[in-house]
Amino acid sequence: MKRTIAHLVLTALILSSCNNTNRPEQTKTHGYSEVNGIKMYYEIYGDGKPLVLLHGGGSTIQTTFGRVIPMLAKHRKIIAVELQAHGRTSDRGKDATFEQDADDVATLLKNLKIDKADFFGFSNGGTTTIQIAIRHPQIVDKIVLGSALSKRNGMPPQFWDFMKKANLTNMPQELKDAYLAVTPDPKGLQIMHDRDAKRMVNFKDIPDEQIKSIKAKTLIIIGDKDVIKPEHAIEMSRQIADSKLAIIPGVHGEYIGEITTLKSNSKEEDYVIPMMESFLDK
């Protein structure tokens, strides 16, 4: 009974977060756009210079960024999206790739008539942000890479062993509940999981020359106990010429209050977001 009540409470919190999208004081626009064969869901908050938010694997806008959107939207226009098969965005019936996600985001911004923006990607969204900076540099001003992966050796070997055996039962319950709260379709949940798992199993290193080609001013953020090695973030900061690096105490996503870290009751976002805004404003 306790477990059932806990899940009901969590689902209620997720739905409450999602329902915030209907409050005019918090959200300016939310809707769908036809993007390269999928219907991509997006939300727009605030006014000012555009900042695009790209969520992590298996996630929605709210599970990755729900804690920090109100902070970021005070000073800029936030464009938060859900990528292929995630949350409210449809699946195209093909394997997901970071390159395709990058192209989808570029097309969405074109549809929204946004010529240039800053980007903040977390985890898989960080790797997508790298691909945007490589493939579509003309739409990029500054980028923030949160726990982004560019090389397989950026993860411990046991991660890759785990991904080969990944199944839906191992997915964090908070992420499963969040998906079903906005898209009550267990089949879609399975598709999202399988797309993300296969993408990671097949992940190939982004060549050094492509990383070094990034000209955008870059802030790299990682947790000191992140799933991605801090050494990987350090190496990436050396490869991107105009970059800064911040290593924050905590686990994967704790520095932005990602939903699976909420039980830690940490408040790292209270100083990480001002640090990020200082970087974006310079």
Side-chain angles (χ1 to χ4, degrees), residues 148-164:
L149 181 69
S150 65
K151 296 281 192 299
R152 290 184 71 90
N153 65 10
M155 293 281 203
Q158 56 266 35
F159 170 83
W160 302 108
D161 294 335
F162 172 81
M163 290 309 301
K164 291 176 183 176

Side-chain angles (χ1 to χ4, degrees), residues 34-83:
E34 296 290 340
V35 170
N36 304 327
I38 60 174
K39 291 183 68 175
M40 179 174 277
Y41 179 77
Y42 65 90
E43 297 175 357
I44 299 178
Y45 301 76
D47 292 293
K49 185 179 179 182
L51 172 63
V52 180
L53 303 183
L54 302 175
H55 61 74
S59 301
T60 64
I61 293 168
Q62 280 73 29
T63 57
T64 296
F65 297 114
R67 289 279 289 274
V68 299
I69 284 175
M71 301 170 71
L72 291 167
K74 290 179 181 178
H75 307 117
R76 59 197 78 242
K77 177 186 285 188
I78 302 302
I79 300 136
V81 310
E82 288 176 346
L83 300 166

Side-chain angles (χ1 to χ4, degrees), residues 231-243:
E231 294 85 356
H232 179 63
I234 293 169
E235 179 60 27
M236 195 155 47
S237 74
R238 290 169 175 161
Q239 291 181 316
I240 300 174
D242 200 350
S243 66

Side-chain angles (χ1 to χ4, degrees), residues 98-99 102 127 129-137 143 145 150-151 203-216 218 236 239-241:
F98 293 114
E99 293 85 352
T127 305
T129 300
I130 292 172
Q131 290 293 348
I132 291 170
I134 292 168
R135 298 168 69 86
H136 304 280
I143 61 175
L145 304 177
S150 65
K151 296 281 192 299
F203 182 78
K204 292 181 172 55
D205 291 355
I206 301 175
D208 288 345
E209 59 270 20
Q210 291 187 12
I211 301 294
K212 292 176 181 177
S213 75
I214 294 175
K215 304 301 181 188
T218 303
M236 195 155 47
Q239 291 181 316
I240 300 174

Side-chain angles (χ1 to χ4, degrees), residues 6 30 37 39 57 92 119 148 151 158 194-195 220 223 259-260:
H30 62 100
K39 291 183 68 175
R92 58 169 50 88
F119 293 81
K151 296 281 192 299
Q158 56 266 35
D194 293 350
R195 296 260 184 255
I220 299 167
I259 196 170
T260 64

Side-chain angles (χ1 to χ4, degrees), residues 212-274:
K212 292 176 181 177
S213 75
I214 294 175
K215 304 301 181 188
K217 293 181 185 297
T218 303
L219 173 62
I220 299 167
I221 305 176
I222 196 165
D224 67 340
K225 294 178 176 60
D226 215 296
V227 65
I228 295 172
K229 301 175 186 177
E231 294 85 356
H232 179 63
I234 293 169
E235 179 60 27
M236 195 155 47
S237 74
R238 290 169 175 161
Q239 291 181 316
I240 300 174
D242 200 350
S243 66
K244 298 180 182 297
L245 172 66
I247 299 178
I248 309 298
V251 300
H252 191 67
E254 190 172 356
Y255 52 82
I256 54 171
E258 189 270 343
I259 196 170
T260 64
T261 71
L262 294 184
K263 56 186 174 291
S264 70
N265 294 316
S266 61
K267 301 289 184 182
E268 275 75 7
E269 68 268 19
D270 288 345
Y271 62 84
V272 170
I273 296 304

